[in-house]
Amino acid sequence: MLEEKNDNLSLKGNEIDGKTANELQKTIQSETSVVTESEISDAAAEENTVNPVSETVISNENRTDEKQNVIDAIAETNAEESEDETLKERHDIPMLDYDALPMETLVSELKNLVTNEKVMSIKEHVEEIRKAFLAKYNHLIEEKREEFNQENQDPNEEFQYHSPLKSKFDQYYTIYKDNKNVHFKSLQSNLKTNLEVRLAIVEELKELINPQTNIKDTLNHFNELRERWKNAGAIPKDKYNHVWNNYHFHVENFYDYLHLDREARDIDFKYNLEQKLKIIARVQELLKEADINKAFRELQDLHRIWKEDIGPVSREHRDEIWNQFSELTKKMHDKREVLFENLRGTELENLEKKKEIIAKIEVLATEKVNAHSQWLAQIEKVEALRSEFFSAGKVPADVNEATWAAFKTAVRNFNSFKNSFYKDIKKDQNDNLNKKIALVKKAKELQESTDFASTTPIMKQIQEDWKKIGHVPRKYSDKIWNEFREACNHYFDQLKEHKSVENVDEVEAFDKKKAYLETLREFQLTGDHKTDLDAIKLHIETWKNFGKVPFPRRHIEGKFNKILDALFEKLSLSKKDTEMMRFSNRMDHLSESNDTRKLDNEKIFLMRKIEEVQNEIFQLENNIQFFTNTKNAKKENSIVLEVRKNIAIHKESLDVWKEKLKQLRNLNIE
């Protein structure tokens, strides 16, 4: 039970109905007046006739231990807040669900608290932020270490990871610790000094009881001690109750010594009773308050006022009024316990959610997939579950560590399972790296080549080969690609520059061919087969020596071929010779233009034609055999003769196709 010591002699009966605890305390302090000589009736003469009245509240023997525990808990909290006034302000700062916030928001919250709030009023908030941030950060570090171990094959290379976010967190947390240390040093020094001051005041109170001193001087000294006590400041919480009770005890002794008249004492008791009844009425209102935590905090303030600012009441009301107050306190405590039970129920629901999340991650740690794209999907699922876990809210404190450990184990098992897949493909990536290194080396060897006709197809093939090679380890990917690209770009830049020079020669070749084409139109055959054939071959050779023409002007080659076709028709050449000369001229043109694609297509076309003709000849010969093996066949009929004629034509055609293929293969373009 709180001990009630009279600290007020004469109180004015101003109405303060409906005021909160803080307003009530201010009113009591402003309306308190100290005793004067007029309030004492012949104190010196009646010194031995008035029995001293002890105002100490007797403990209620029927009070339950549970009520006492509630009262003691409130008294302990008030003592702690009296020691450090900043603790009272902690209630004004909302406690967020820091476990559900991302790391960036946690750092912002820490910065805001450290910058704008008093150090001891944010103690619980900072520690909750620190716990939530480090849990998330340590989890991140584990993942980064596993990624490092997966990608790094050098056992001598140590894992390092720098997080600017962690640096900011450490910076603000260091500021908080420094501020707290400074605060505690200052607080300890002030508490010690204040305690010495208050103990000295108590000692002076003891000396006031002296019949030899003048009453007026004694009262003045008493008032001075009261004022000094009021301004003495906070003291250590472990000395709080003892020092206050000791002070009140000696104040009451002084009252008894002064032998206050009964009327003044009754007025004092009546006023104190009114104030305590109003506190009881206020507690009854607080029981209806929706914000239970807010109501309980005000209840703590009301207990402080009851003990420290309001004096005793008459004995006939003392136990009754205290029992009412303590009973209401117990009801408020019970409501608060119900709130805590509901919170614990929510925490249990959060625990079930987190267990389900952990179970899902454990399942993902056993689902085997065999493709990178599938693993990306699995990783995305785990990341979503991680976010859901951190957003699920608090769990009961007694299982918090175990739940966190289970979550980390599940994620670690998934990462290990994932890493086993990537370790299997690590060898392939290293093989791909070696292949690409070989291509880079080859490209660098050829990048200065000026034999563009032979080097260009090789460089293009190198690029095609590069595209067919798979992924390489990520740490080498950018470096090797930049080396390869630089070598290729260097070569093709030179090729482009070379072609710009060649274009001048191609334009000149076009002009020459254009002029020569006009001369060729006037060419007339002599009628001598050999002479005319040699002349045509010379024209062809002269035309080839002019060189290539610009691509957009290659139509001039078609005009030249038409003139040749007309000349060949006038010659008495065989169909085969004519065909071969035309083919030879066309192939020479393709060879000069270095058009390997068209040459390859021509080669494929010839091989297919040869195969088709051979199949046709085979079929016709089978048909002949059918007719010649007939018993009644006396001679070859018209159908057989027609088939033999077709066979001869196809064989002649086959010779031409084979000759073309042979000529094409003899070209130096392979």
Side-chain angles (χ1 to χ4, degrees):
M1 174 186 288
L2 299 175
E3 295 189 16
E4 300 174 309
K5 304 292 184 179
N6 185 10
D7 195 22
N8 305 282
L9 292 180
S10 179
L11 299 176
K12 299 177 182 179
N14 293 348
E15 294 297 328
I16 54 173
D17 289 338
K19 295 186 177 181
T20 65
N22 290 334
E23 293 170 334
L24 180 62
Q25 186 177 21
K26 291 178 182 177
T27 302
I28 292 172
Q29 289 175 347
S30 65
E31 295 181 354
T32 301
S33 62
V34 297
V35 66
T36 64
E37 288 183 88
S38 63
E39 294 174 320
I40 304 175
S41 301
D42 300 324
E46 300 180 6
E47 180 175 348
N48 297 318
T49 62
V50 180
N51 294 326
V53 179
S54 174
E55 303 295 345
T56 304
V57 176
I58 307 300
S59 299
N60 186 353
E61 296 179 357
N62 298 324
R63 183 187 309 141
T64 64
D65 290 340
E66 185 176 3
K67 289 182 182 178
Q68 185 60 45
N69 291 337
V70 173
I71 301 300
D72 290 345
I74 294 177
E76 177 68 19
T77 302
N78 287 339
E80 182 177 2
E81 293 182 357
S82 295
E83 179 183 56
D84 189 349
E85 291 293 326
T86 59
L87 292 178
K88 297 179 182 179
E89 302 175 20
R90 72 189 190 279
H91 305 306
D92 300 328
I93 305 173
M95 181 69 74
L96 305 180
D97 186 3
Y98 295 115
D99 287 337
L101 299 180
M103 294 171 63
E104 294 80 3
T105 307
L106 290 174
V107 173
S108 297
E109 286 293 325
L110 178 62
K111 177 184 178 182
N112 180 57
L113 292 174
V114 171
T115 304
N116 301 318
E117 304 292 345
K118 293 184 178 180
V119 63
M120 291 308 295
S121 63
I122 61 174
K123 178 182 177 182
E124 295 177 2
H125 300 72
V126 170
E127 289 308 313
E128 288 295 318
I129 290 175
R130 179 175 179 270
K131 183 173 68 174
F133 180 87
L134 291 181
K136 291 178 171 61
Y137 178 74
N138 291 334
H139 186 67
L140 174 65
I141 288 296
E142 288 181 6
E143 291 186 340
K144 293 298 182 182
R145 181 180 285 105
E146 289 178 356
E147 290 180 7
F148 173 81
N149 293 334
Q150 173 191 330
E151 296 180 1
N152 183 59
Q153 301 297 318
D154 186 358
N156 297 321
E157 187 172 351
E158 295 183 359
F159 168 74
Q160 292 183 345
Y161 180 75
H162 173 70
S163 171
L165 200 61
K166 179 62 163 58
S167 299
K168 287 185 178 180
F169 176 85
D170 291 341
Q171 174 188 348
Y172 299 130
Y173 189 72
T174 299
I175 294 174
Y176 163 74
K177 289 195 298 183
D178 292 343
N179 291 344
K180 188 171 69 170
N181 290 336
V182 171
H183 174 79
F184 273 127
K185 288 180 180 179
S186 174
L187 181 64
Q188 290 171 358
S189 176
N190 292 338
L191 291 176
K192 182 179 179 181
T193 301
N194 295 341
L195 177 61
E196 293 173 354
V197 170
R198 289 187 183 273
L199 291 176
I201 292 174
V202 171
E203 291 300 319
E204 290 188 52
L205 277 174
K206 295 179 183 179
E207 301 299 327
L208 287 179
I209 302 177
N210 186 353
Q212 306 301 322
T213 59
N214 181 276
I215 292 296
K216 182 177 181 179
D217 293 338
T218 302
L219 286 174
N220 289 335
H221 191 188
F222 176 74
N223 289 336
E224 178 194 350
L225 292 176
R226 280 169 50 85
E227 190 65 23
R228 283 165 55 193
W229 180 271
K230 179 181 177 181
N231 299 320
I235 61 176
K237 67 177 182 178
D238 59 330
K239 303 290 193 297
Y240 175 80
N241 284 329
H242 173 74
V243 173
W244 270 102
N245 291 334
N246 201 14
Y247 168 73
H248 289 160
F249 174 78
H250 291 293
V251 167
E252 289 178 354
N253 280 346
F254 181 73
Y255 290 160
D256 293 341
Y257 167 70
L258 291 179
H259 300 293
L260 293 177
D261 61 73
R262 184 174 300 277
E263 181 181 358
R265 185 171 62 249
D266 290 344
I267 293 174
D268 193 32
F269 284 166
K270 181 180 178 182
Y271 179 78
N272 293 341
L273 178 62
E274 290 174 354
Q275 302 308 311
K276 290 190 175 182
L277 286 174
K278 288 175 181 179
I279 288 179
I280 290 174
R282 178 57 184 163
V283 177
Q284 289 173 333
E285 293 177 7
L286 290 178
L287 287 173
K288 303 174 185 178
E289 171 67 47
D291 188 342
I292 297 176
N293 283 327
K294 177 182 177 182
F296 192 81
R297 289 195 295 270
E298 185 171 341
L299 177 63
Q300 290 178 234
D301 293 333
L302 292 174
H303 268 270
R304 186 184 300 109
I305 295 170
W306 184 290
K307 175 181 178 181
E308 299 177 8
D309 298 322
I310 302 178
V313 299
S314 62
R315 293 183 182 277
E316 60 182 299
H317 298 294
R318 192 165 299 164
D319 289 341
E320 178 186 357
I321 197 171
W322 172 250
N323 287 335
Q324 289 183 47
F325 186 45
S326 60
E327 182 63 31
L328 292 173
T329 299
K330 175 64 169 54
K331 289 181 179 180
M332 178 66 74
H333 181 269
D334 291 342
K335 286 190 66 175
R336 191 162 177 253
E337 283 299 307
V338 171
L339 173 64
F340 287 159
E341 284 298 325
N342 293 336
L343 291 176
R344 280 191 283 270
T346 302
E347 290 178 351
L348 289 174
E349 292 177 3
N350 295 340
L351 176 61
E352 292 303 316
K353 291 179 184 178
K354 290 193 172 184
K355 284 183 177 180
E356 292 176 3
I357 293 170
I358 292 171
K360 291 178 181 179
I361 296 176
E362 288 173 344
V363 171
L364 291 174
T366 60
E367 292 180 355
K368 188 172 183 180
V369 292
N370 297 314
H372 175 64
S373 58
Q374 293 175 327
W375 272 111
L376 291 179
Q378 296 291 88
I379 293 171
E380 187 175 346
K381 291 178 183 178
V382 171
E383 286 300 314
L385 290 171
R386 284 182 69 251
S387 299
E388 189 178 345
F389 182 89
F390 288 128
S391 302
K394 292 184 178 180
V395 300
D398 56 335
V399 296
N400 184 58
E401 291 297 328
T403 305
W404 173 243
F407 172 71
K408 289 196 297 182
T409 300
V411 174
R412 187 182 299 112
N413 290 341
F414 171 80
N415 288 333
S416 299
F417 188 53
K418 174 194 68 177
N419 292 342
S420 64
F421 167 78
Y422 285 104
K423 285 179 181 178
D424 291 339
I425 66 172
K426 194 71 176 180
K427 183 179 182 300
D428 294 336
Q429 290 187 347
N430 287 329
D431 291 341
N432 293 338
L433 176 63
N434 292 331
K435 292 177 182 178
K436 287 192 173 183
I437 289 175
L439 291 181
V440 170
K441 181 180 179 181
K442 192 172 183 180
K444 286 183 175 181
E445 291 174 352
L446 295 174
Q447 66 179 355
E448 301 294 345
S449 174
T450 55
D451 185 3
F452 299 109
S454 59
T455 304
T456 301
I458 298 175
M459 291 295 288
K460 289 181 178 180
Q461 187 60 48
I462 289 176
Q463 291 179 323
E464 291 297 320
D465 293 342
W466 182 278
K467 294 177 183 178
K468 296 175 183 177
I469 300 174
H471 294 289
V472 301
R474 188 169 59 183
K475 63 186 298 185
Y476 301 110
S477 179
D478 291 342
K479 179 177 180 294
I480 195 170
W481 163 246
N482 290 333
E483 292 181 6
F484 181 72
R485 183 179 57 183
E486 288 175 4
C488 292
N489 288 346
H490 180 79
Y491 173 79
F492 284 105
D493 287 344
Q494 284 188 320
L495 176 62
K496 184 178 180 181
E497 183 179 351
H498 173 73
K499 283 187 175 182
S500 65
V501 175
E502 277 190 336
N503 286 339
V504 177
D505 297 334
E506 289 177 358
V507 172
E508 184 180 352
F510 173 78
D511 293 337
K512 290 180 179 178
K513 285 188 175 183
K514 183 178 180 181
Y516 192 76
L517 198 61
E518 296 300 323
T519 302
L520 191 58
R521 294 182 192 279
E522 299 176 358
F523 173 72
Q524 297 292 330
L525 298 176
T526 62
D528 182 69
H529 178 79
K530 184 177 184 308
T531 301
D532 291 338
L533 184 58
D534 291 341
I536 292 174
K537 290 182 178 179
L538 181 60
H539 284 308
I540 293 173
E541 188 65 27
T542 303
W543 184 270
K544 287 165 54 178
N545 291 335
F546 287 143
K548 291 191 297 183
V549 299
F551 184 82
R553 302 183 183 184
R554 289 185 182 179
H555 61 276
I556 198 171
E557 302 293 340
K559 294 180 179 180
F560 177 69
N561 289 332
K562 287 183 179 180
I563 294 176
L564 287 183
D565 291 342
L567 292 176
F568 287 143
E569 289 179 2
K570 294 178 182 180
L571 288 176
S572 56
L573 290 175
S574 65
K575 183 178 180 181
K576 178 181 178 181
D577 291 339
T578 302
E579 183 70 22
M580 289 306 301
M581 289 191 69
R582 289 174 177 173
F583 178 78
S584 178
N585 181 56
R586 189 161 61 88
M587 291 301 102
D588 287 342
H589 172 67
L590 290 178
S591 177
E592 289 176 358
S593 64
N594 199 26
D595 196 337
T596 56
R597 184 178 61 82
K598 287 186 177 181
L599 289 171
D600 289 339
N601 290 339
E602 186 70 25
K603 187 184 297 183
I604 294 172
F605 171 75
L606 291 175
M607 294 173 67
R608 287 178 178 173
K609 291 300 295 183
I610 291 173
E611 184 178 3
E612 289 176 6
V613 174
Q614 285 177 335
N615 290 336
E616 187 67 24
I617 293 172
F618 178 76
Q619 184 64 42
L620 291 173
E621 288 178 343
N622 282 343
N623 293 341
I624 288 291
Q625 189 175 9
F626 173 77
F627 285 106
T628 56
N629 288 339
T630 304
K631 294 180 179 180
N632 296 326
K634 296 181 180 179
K635 62 178 181 178
E636 293 183 347
N637 57 29
S638 58
I639 296 176
V640 174
L641 293 175
E642 183 65 26
V643 171
R644 290 190 184 280
K645 182 178 178 182
N646 284 338
I647 291 174
I649 293 173
H650 279 83
K651 286 185 176 181
E652 183 179 354
S653 174
L654 180 62
D655 291 340
V656 173
W657 293 120
K658 286 183 177 181
E659 183 66 26
K660 287 181 178 180
L661 182 59
K662 180 180 178 181
Q663 188 178 91
L664 180 59
R665 285 174 172 170
N666 288 335
L667 292 175
N668 294 324
I669 58 172
E670 301 296 334

